[in-house]
Amino acid sequence: MVNNKEEWERLDASVQSITVNGCDDYLSELLDLSRFGELVELKIGSNCFNYVSVMSISRLPKLKSVEIGEKSFQNESADSQLMVKNCPALVSLKIGNQSFKGFKRFNLSEVDGLKSVMIGDGCFKECDLVLKELKSVESVRVGSGSFEKSRHTVVESLIS
């Protein structure tokens, strides 16, 4: 359970579950989760990590679910991006309303076990949507106003 930056930074690298209830004092622009090699479940609440411009969920072989609450990750810098890659056990990705709304890139790759993608309303407003080679996906839900100004949208090879 994490409520602030200090608790986040003290998390043991072998933790299997992380629940963030608040982290509005986290001022770094990068949030890289790769140090948590045993992570199975990640839950980030609402209004968290609003200064972060790059979130990297990468190289986590045991990660099964990611859930982000509403109005988190509000940075709108030109290089803002969410990367979810090389997480072969990931089954579920859920992003709440208005999270990542100003992010410019969303990279979802090497997530061969992914079954469900749910993106709430008003997320990734100016971001391109590219979903490729997601052969296990059973459902994709993109909320109203999300990817609203996408210039490039690709949805292919979702089912083998």
Side-chain angles (χ1 to χ4, degrees), residues 112-156:
D112 297 337
L114 190 63
K115 294 191 180 305
S116 171
V117 178
M118 293 181 64
I119 298 173
D121 298 338
C123 301
F124 301 103
K125 289 184 153 293
E126 295 182 34
C127 184
D128 294 340
L129 174 61
V130 179
L131 301 175
K132 294 168 75 172
E133 302 299 326
L134 302 176
K135 297 187 185 324
S136 297
V137 169
E138 296 171 358
S139 70
V140 175
R141 180 197 173 277
V142 177
S144 168
S146 293
F147 302 98
E148 183 174 69
K149 296 180 182 176
S150 173
R151 290 173 291 153
H152 182 71
T153 300
V154 177
V155 180
E156 69 179 36

Side-chain angles (χ1 to χ4, degrees), residues 38-75:
E38 300 297 312
L39 190 63
V40 174
E41 176 184 60
L42 174 66
K43 288 184 181 179
I44 296 177
S46 297
N47 302 302
C48 294
F49 298 111
N50 286 325
Y51 294 97
V52 170
S53 62
V54 177
M55 182 178 187
S56 176
I57 303 172
S58 301
R59 299 181 312 277
L60 298 172
K62 299 179 181 181
L63 184 64
K64 290 185 179 175
S65 70
V66 173
E67 183 174 338
I68 312 287
E70 296 184 353
K71 298 181 181 175
S72 289
F73 300 93
Q74 298 295 300
N75 192 312

Side-chain angles (χ1 to χ4, degrees), residues 7 26 67 76 100 110 133-134 152:
E7 291 175 2
Y26 188 89
E67 183 174 338
E76 296 187 17
F100 303 101
E110 298 174 65
E133 302 299 326
L134 302 176
H152 182 71

